């Protein structure tokens, strides 16, 4: 389950730079196309589990294990890298998961958030929907830019 899920974070730095509404929408579309199979696998595993709560917890643990394995050096993740990982989770992973429309997506997202917070220093993050994030972008400031 979730083999190579850490690949979701490929080009993380590029996707977090110079974010504007249009670039975020384009990046999110590409992210969903490239990683939709991981998101489907996460929700399907939860849906098929006898105990959905436990299954969502397993998904979250495997996801976080994979991320930690990919980014930790000598057992630690650099603070800057951790900040980028947190932002990427908030801007891409959680919204894309919720965009699947799966009934299990909110449960998986919550277990993922809890596991992330427990595992990583400064990992107490929260998540929003794609629409909430898009609505927060402003293309112009006071009509000037």
């Amino acid at each position: 389950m979730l083999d190579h899920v850490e690949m979701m974070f490929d080009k993380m730095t590029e996707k977090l730079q110079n974010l504007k509404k249009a670039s975020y929408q384009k990046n999110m579309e590409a992210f969903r196309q490239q990683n939709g199979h991981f998101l489907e696998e996460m929700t399907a595993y939860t849906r098929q589990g006898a105990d959905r709560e436990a299954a969502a917890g397993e998904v979250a643990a495997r996801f976080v294990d994979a991320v930690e394995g990919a980014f930790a050096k000598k057992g630690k993740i650099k603070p800057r890298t951790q900040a980028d990982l947190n932002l990427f989770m908030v801007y891409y992973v959680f919204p894309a998961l919720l965009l699947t429309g799966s009934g299990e997506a909110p449960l998986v997202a919550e277990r993922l958030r809890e596991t992330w917070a427990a595992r990583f220093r400064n990992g107490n993050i929260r998540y929003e929907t794609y629409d909430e994030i898009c609505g927060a972008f402003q293309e112009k400031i006071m009509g000037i830019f």
Side-chain angles (χ1 to χ4, degrees):
M1 173 179 63
L2 297 178
D3 293 331
H4 305 292
V5 73
E6 68 278 1
M7 290 173 35
M8 290 177 93
F9 293 84
D10 287 352
K11 298 183 181 180
M12 170 178 64
T13 305
E14 293 172 21
K15 289 181 178 160
L16 291 173
Q17 291 178 348
N18 301 319
L19 276 182
K20 296 190 188 237
K21 188 172 187 173
S23 63
Y24 175 66
Q25 290 171 327
K26 180 181 167 194
N27 289 345
M28 178 57 86
E29 184 177 322
F31 178 81
R32 291 180 68 207
Q33 286 177 357
Q34 294 165 356
N35 300 295
H37 62 285
F38 290 125
L39 303 171
E40 174 56 35
E41 188 176 350
M42 294 165 81
T43 56
Y45 185 83
T46 301
R47 182 174 39 256
Q48 295 165 2
D51 180 350
R52 290 178 53 232
E53 291 277 340
E58 288 177 43
V59 166
R62 289 190 185 193
F63 182 93
V64 173
D65 287 345
V67 172
E68 186 174 37
F71 290 95
K73 305 288 188 232
K74 296 182 183 179
K76 293 186 177 185
I77 297 176
K78 293 180 182 179
R80 170 61 194 234
T81 302
Q82 185 62 57
D84 286 348
L85 289 169
N86 290 347
L87 283 174
F88 197 79
M89 289 292 291
V90 170
Y91 277 102
Y92 291 97
V93 177
F94 287 123
L97 180 60
L98 296 172
L99 278 173
T100 64
S102 169
E104 284 72 27
L107 175 61
V108 173
E110 188 55 30
R111 291 302 156 268
L112 189 53
R113 188 197 64 75
E114 290 169 355
T115 304
W116 191 269
R119 184 78 61 90
F120 297 123
R121 197 174 107 203
N122 298 322
N124 191 14
I125 57 178
R126 50 176 237 173
Y127 56 90
E128 302 289 338
T129 66
Y130 174 75
D131 292 331
E132 289 169 328
I133 292 172
C134 276
F137 282 105
Q138 295 182 5
E139 290 298 322
K140 297 181 180 182
I141 299 173
M142 299 166 94
I144 299 172
F145 295 96

